[in-house]
Amino acid sequence: MALIVCSIVVALVVARLAGGQLSSVERLPAHGLLLLAAAMALLAVGLIVGWLGLPAGPCYAVALGLSGVLVGRFMLVNRSLTGTGLIAAGLLLNAMVVGLNAAMPVSAHAAARAGVGVAAVGDRWHTVAGSHTRLRPLGEVIAVPLPLWPEVDSLGDLLVAAGLAQLVFMALRPPPYGRRKVGAGGPEPTSSKILTHTD
């Protein structure tokens, strides 16, 4: 999660330095934003159900899969937006490995390299990877020793972080020159003006 937050923050800063505006988000279709909001809500539900006594791993896997479907729908509706394909692929990869292992497997070696105790990942949603782990390379095997919030991420997490960063940057960047619509209150192109003279 820390890597995803850092990726979004960096994308925001870079977009602002490039002249982007937060108001540019309005260019995204409303139905697209609802799909993304629903995907994020499902992820939150998948994390919360473990506290309610339900099987956390399977519920989280289903939430991840459905989120991937919603993001895939968003990708189809908005083919011109970059990043959505990476987000959908990352969510689906995470859903596969969580579904097959009933929790997200975490490499003890990677946790040690990141400075995270193995005990800290032994919760309802994670399990220490071992010889019985299925699709182990897709689990959380990548050490991310961030200064304030070290963690271990999966390949799916990296894809989601990269996709969100691309999506945020492309959404905030200023529109390309020459694509401003005429007739919406803006000035007409100079070439279209007809100069007339009266005696």
Side-chain angles (χ1 to χ4, degrees):
M1 182 62 70
L3 178 64
I4 292 176
V5 172
C6 289
S7 299
I8 293 175
V9 171
V10 170
L12 283 170
V13 172
V14 173
R16 288 287 292 153
L17 292 176
Q21 300 292 332
L22 293 176
S23 59
S24 299
V25 177
E26 296 175 358
R27 297 200 303 266
L28 292 176
H31 55 276
L33 294 178
L34 290 176
L35 287 172
L36 289 180
M40 295 301 104
L42 278 173
L43 287 178
V45 171
L47 291 172
I48 292 173
V49 292
W51 290 321
L52 302 178
L54 298 174
C59 291
Y60 186 45
V62 171
L64 282 172
L66 292 177
S67 296
V69 171
L70 290 176
V71 175
R73 174 62 179 170
F74 176 84
M75 179 180 61
L76 291 175
V77 174
N78 306 280
R79 297 179 183 86
S80 61
L81 295 178
T82 58
T84 53
L86 292 176
I87 298 172
L91 291 175
L92 291 176
L93 287 179
N94 283 346
M96 272 199 311
V97 68
V98 170
L100 290 175
N101 295 281
M104 174 61 78
V106 183
S107 167
H109 177 66
R113 290 180 57 192
V116 179
V118 178
V121 299
D123 54 23
R124 296 181 178 89
W125 304 274
H126 300 83
T127 183
V128 179
S131 58
H132 60 283
T133 302
R134 299 177 181 178
L135 294 180
R136 184 169 181 172
L138 296 182
E140 293 185 347
V141 297
I142 304 171
V144 183
L146 295 173
L148 299 178
W149 195 348
E151 64 183 15
V152 185
D153 290 318
S154 65
L155 175 60
D157 295 333
L158 297 185
L159 293 177
V160 172
L164 284 173
Q166 285 187 359
L167 180 62
V168 169
F169 177 79
M170 297 299 288
L172 297 186
R173 70 172 184 170
Y177 294 108
R179 292 189 178 182
R180 185 174 297 174
K181 294 182 180 180
V182 178
E188 295 181 354
T190 304
S191 58
S192 65
K193 293 181 179 178
I194 302 175
L195 300 178
T196 58
H197 298 276
T198 57
D199 295 330

